[in-house]
Structures are given as structure tokens and as C-alpha cells.
Amino acid sequence: GQNIDQPTEMTATEGAIVQINCTYQTSGFNGLFWYQQHAGEAPTFLSYNVLDGLEEKGRFSSFLSRSKGYSYLLLKELQMKDSASYLCAVVDSNYQLIWGAGTKLIIKP
Amino acid sequence: GAVVSQHPSRVICKSGTSVKIECRSLDFQATTMFWYRQFPKQSLMLMATSNEGSKATYEQGVEKDKFLINHASLTLSTLTVTSAHPEDSSFYICSANSGTGDFNEQFFGPGTRLTVL
């Protein structure tokens, strides 16, 4: 079967750095997305990785290792507004999006 | 970026009634639209994929006669929850894919919170 694993919940301090991991086992791989979802709102796009390595976008970076079936989202200089759920989603061989359950990130002052 | 709207944002209805939710791509033509359902503290669950002018493809376990999807134009898809029951109460989110640029990047609507009494 297809499986995406992320931690259920993480807590971090304002101004710090946090890494949210995602491991996947899917039938084929055609890219991995990270989305941010605030409570009661729809997801918003953060990043897309299809090749191995690190993609940096301001305070957010995303890393992919296809051989390990592993990705992480790195958030720097955390702000209170970063409190949200972070969803990892993998595009499988049929170009379907397989969603992880999301990681709820709690930022404390 | 591409904008997707949904209407209504919230709806409360009585058990047994039908509810229609609209999803529109405002500044691009959406060749494919997706309907998701999300229960509290759970991930998105894909319900169906619709392509303009053809029948929707439903995921396993989703009743096609209960969740009617119409994708009549490249900018509009509708989801009708027929004979809604309290267990249908959920957050319904649509997304659209223009088929250009980063493939499979989906642009999400703001969601519709359905409460069935």
C-alpha cells in the first residue's frame, strides 16, 4: 500500500528553527509537495521537490532524498503565525496526490 | 498566483436536504478539479476527480449517487451532497489544476464547512 508518515504534532519556540520530517512509500514518485494549512482554512502551497537536494525559499526550505523516501521542511526564525498544520503530499506513478495526515506545529513565545 | 473560489463558505442544513457547493477558477481555465473532504484533525481525503465535459472519477468508498459532481465548464465545478445526514458534516475543499506549469500543482479553494443538523 501507499504510506506517508509525518509526526502528528511538534512544538517549537518563537525565533527558533524546526524541522518537520516526512517519509513515504508509494507506487512510483513524481514529486513531493509541502502545504501549510491554518485551522479552518484550505491548504496553501509551500514547496515542490522532484530532484534530490535542498530548495530554499526565504525562511522555509525543503529537502528531498528519493533513495531514502524522505523529505523534510525546515522553518527558520519561527513566528507565531507559523502555527499551523504542515501537509506532505507525494505524486505517485499515476500522477495522483497521496496526502500525509499533517503535522500540527505549535509555536510558543 | 491562480485563484480558486468556493461558495458558500459555510452552510447549515437539515438532515435529508441537498446542498450544492460551487468551485470556480477565477483567473485560469481548470482542466481538472478535485473535491476533498477533511474531518477534524484528519488529513485531506480525495473524494473525486472531475475533468471538464466528462464524468467524474470517484475514489473507492465514495458514493457517486450521493455526491453529484458536475464540471460543465473550464471554470466551474459543483458538488451536490444529496439527502445530507449529520455524518456528512465536514470541511469540503476543492482544488483546480490548470495542466500547465508545475504539473499537479493544485490551487485550493477556501473550503466550505457543512453542518447537517
Side-chain angles (χ1 to χ4, degrees), chain A residues 33-79:
Chain A
F33 288 91
W34 283 97
Y35 281 85
Q36 180 190 60
Q37 185 178 24
H38 284 99
E41 298 180 12
T44 55
F45 171 82
L46 289 178
S47 68
Y48 172 70
N49 294 68
V50 67
L51 299 175
D52 290 349
L54 187 68
E55 297 270 348
E56 296 187 71
K57 260 189 202 179
R59 294 190 299 114
F60 293 8
S61 303
S62 56
F63 171 84
L64 174 68
S65 168
R66 287 172 297 172
S67 62
K68 294 182 180 177
Y70 168 69
S71 172
Y72 68 71
L73 180 69
L74 190 70
L75 294 77
K76 302 177 185 175
E77 301 170 18
L78 285 170
Q79 301 175 8

Side-chain angles (χ1 to χ4, degrees), chain A residues 72-99:
Chain A
Y72 68 71
L73 180 69
L74 190 70
L75 294 77
K76 302 177 185 175
E77 301 170 18
L78 285 170
Q79 301 175 8
M80 297 304 292
K81 67 178 182 180
D82 297 329
S83 292
S85 287
Y86 291 85
L87 307 174
C88 172
V90 173
V91 185
D92 71 6
S93 57
N94 294 319
Y95 296 96
Q96 298 290 323
L97 264 183
I98 312 299
W99 291 88

